Amino acid sequence: TYVVVENCIKCKYMDCVEVCPVDCFYEGDNMLVIHPDECIDCGVCEPECPAEAIKPDTESGLDKWLKLNAEYAKTWPNITIKREPPADAKEHDGEAGKLDKYFS
Ligand code: SF4
Ligand code: F3S
């Protein structure tokens, strides 16, 4: 599966949802997650994310994010249509500690 990681938080560009062939993105207030049982590993979303916040789970060190994606994909609503990203998305791109500061 592919995994949404920390830099999505507060950036939430949503370009990813437009290209996913199986519509497996789910939406929280400040970030999206991928449902690991639905993702078919096509990889097309990875280069579409302006925040580089999508990674294949074959990369090391993503355990925490894989768990978070799996957990929240169960309850957050599905999202398939891109909306206007947050006005301050650029300011939060690359910021450290976003999980603790803003996750929801
Ligand atoms: Fe969707 Fe493909 Fe990205 Fe998985 S890798 S979330 S199937 S676009
Ligand atoms: Fe997040 Fe990137 Fe999608 S910032 S909403 S994973 S395009």
Side-chain angles (χ1 to χ4, degrees):
T1 185
Y2 278 63
V3 185
V4 183
V5 300
E6 187 161 25
N7 205 36
C8 177
I9 298 170
K10 284 272 188 180
C11 286
K12 204 186 186 186
Y13 287 113
M14 294 172 278
D15 297 68
C16 52
V17 307
E18 298 265 286
V19 298
C20 180
V22 296
D23 294 341
C24 64
F25 282 90
Y26 293 80
E27 182 181 20
D29 290 340
N30 294 331
M31 85 174 285
L32 305 192
V33 292
I34 291 170
H35 197 310
D37 298 334
E38 296 174 359
C39 173
I40 58 170
D41 262 335
C42 72
V44 302
C45 56
E46 184 182 9
E48 295 299 320
C49 175
E52 296 183 26
I54 302 177
K55 310 283 180 196
D57 73 343
T58 47
E59 269 190 27
S60 60
L62 295 182
D63 282 8
K64 175 168 85 172
W65 294 100
L66 186 55
K67 276 192 200 132
L68 185 147
N69 278 241
E71 183 183 345
Y72 288 94
K74 286 188 225 160
T75 54
W76 286 354
N78 190 238
I79 172 171
T80 58
I81 297 169
K82 176 181 161 76
R83 300 187 312 274
E84 200 59 34
D88 58 354
K90 257 211 160 75
E91 293 159 39
H92 291 288
D93 192 353
E95 181 181 348
K98 291 204 271 186
L99 178 63
D100 293 334
K101 283 193 262 185
Y102 311 119
F103 176 76
S104 62

